[in-house]
Amino acid sequence: MQADVMWGSRWSENSLAMARVYMEAVCRKQSLVCLAADRSTMAELEQLIDEVGPYIAALKTHVDLVDDWSPDAWSAFCSKAADADLLIFEDRKFADIGGISRKQMSGIYDIRSWADLVTAHLISGPDIVDGLQAGWSDVGRQGGVLLLAQMSSRGNLLVPDYTGNVVSVGKNHAGVFGFIGNGSRPEELELLRKAVGDGKLIWTPGVNLAVGDGEMGQRYGDPREAVLAGSDCIIVGSGIHKAADPAGQAKAYADASWNAFVERCE
Ligand code: 5BU
């Protein structure tokens, strides 16, 4: 089925080109999975794309945790991701003032040149979004910002009032692709979706088929429940990359997310 029909008002009310690129990718791949590719060598990262590329719609990176990072190896990795039809999302969690965030898009990692999406906290005010967008403009590219409205880790300080403020600023900002919501708590996610409406996407970490507490305060919720509560993308890391059979697990997450999406559309 066509992406505009499947996504309905999420499609028609969203003005950001990158959001539609994602929505189309989901329908092509029948997966709402973004893989959190938290492996620490270039070879392991490349292997992950080979294994799970067909079952995921986007790839989330932490460029600064790779032990043997080099510009050439990273560029080859990004080409591989493009060949596998994947959006690249650098989970950098920018938080500085606008002008510095713009500069941080360049530097040694040059995030602006390869990332389609980045995360940011809104703690420093709305100019951070303009700064990040200026970073992409500086190299003639376009991208989208995901603002942290909630987090999945226990004891985080993104309390409901703060979440409300992030949403009210972000939902009216053209450079905002969407919001990060807490995938481990469907009831919190439902409230977030109500506040956000249909004009922006919500992506959710803290998702695992094994629901419960993870390492160091991470919390996990069920993929189907997250999508039914309003998540447009489940971000899954260790559930896939630490599995004995990453491809099999990636397919299981793809199926769970896609089936829940179809159920939500009915
Ligand atoms: P996990 O292995 O599925 O727990 O990995 C989760 C990933 O999502 C990891 O890369 C985190 O940096 C990322 N994350 C998160 O877990 N919780 C959050 O609130 C945000 C990002 Br924002």
Side-chain angles (χ1 to χ4, degrees), residues 36-38 60-62 65 91 93 119 121 148 150-153 156 180-182 204-208 214-215 218-220 235-242:
D38 297 331
K60 187 175 86 63
T61 55
H62 283 299
L65 62 69
D91 189 7
K93 300 183 182 73
T119 37
H121 286 285
L148 275 74
Q150 298 174 335
M151 289 191 75
S152 63
S153 46
N156 72 73
I180 294 292
N182 176 7
T204 56
V207 171
N208 199 296
E215 273 179 11
Q218 176 68 302
R219 300 173 297 180
Y220 292 115
I235 299 172
V236 182
S238 42
I240 294 173
H241 68 75
K242 281 197 180 157

Side-chain angles (χ1 to χ4, degrees), residues 65-84:
L65 62 69
V66 182
D67 293 333
D68 56 349
W69 188 91
S70 72
D72 287 349
W74 194 257
S75 158
F77 170 71
C78 291
S79 302
K80 206 176 180 57
D83 292 346

Side-chain angles (χ1 to χ4, degrees), residues 31-157:
S31 170
L32 286 78
V33 178
C34 171
L35 171 70
D38 297 331
R39 284 193 179 164
S40 41
T41 66
M42 291 307 312
E44 288 172 323
L45 284 169
E46 296 217 0
Q47 189 189 352
L48 257 187
I49 297 187
D50 287 336
E51 287 174 343
V52 311
Y55 309 113
I56 61 176
L59 190 68
K60 187 175 86 63
T61 55
H62 283 299
V63 66
D64 53 354
L65 62 69
V66 182
D67 293 333
D68 56 349
W69 188 91
S70 72
D72 287 349
W74 194 257
S75 158
F77 170 71
C78 291
S79 302
K80 206 176 180 57
D83 292 346
D85 193 15
L86 301 172
L87 284 177
I88 305 187
F89 164 27
E90 168 61 20
D91 189 7
R92 169 66 176 71
K93 300 183 182 73
F94 290 96
D96 215 313
I97 59 172
I100 293 300
S101 298
R102 178 185 195 164
K103 290 185 178 199
Q104 289 173 321
M105 285 286 270
S106 56
I108 191 156
Y109 294 122
D110 204 25
I111 294 170
R112 61 190 180 171
S113 295
W114 50 267
D116 302 305
L117 300 166
V118 298
T119 37
H121 286 285
L122 203 63
I123 193 82
S124 61
D127 292 279
I128 189 168
V129 180
D130 299 321
L132 295 170
Q133 287 294 345
W136 276 304
S137 297
D138 289 340
V139 289
R141 295 187 74 239
Q142 289 192 333
V145 178
L146 277 153
L147 291 175
L148 275 74
Q150 298 174 335
M151 289 191 75
S152 63
S153 46
R154 75 176 171 213
N156 72 73
L157 304 180

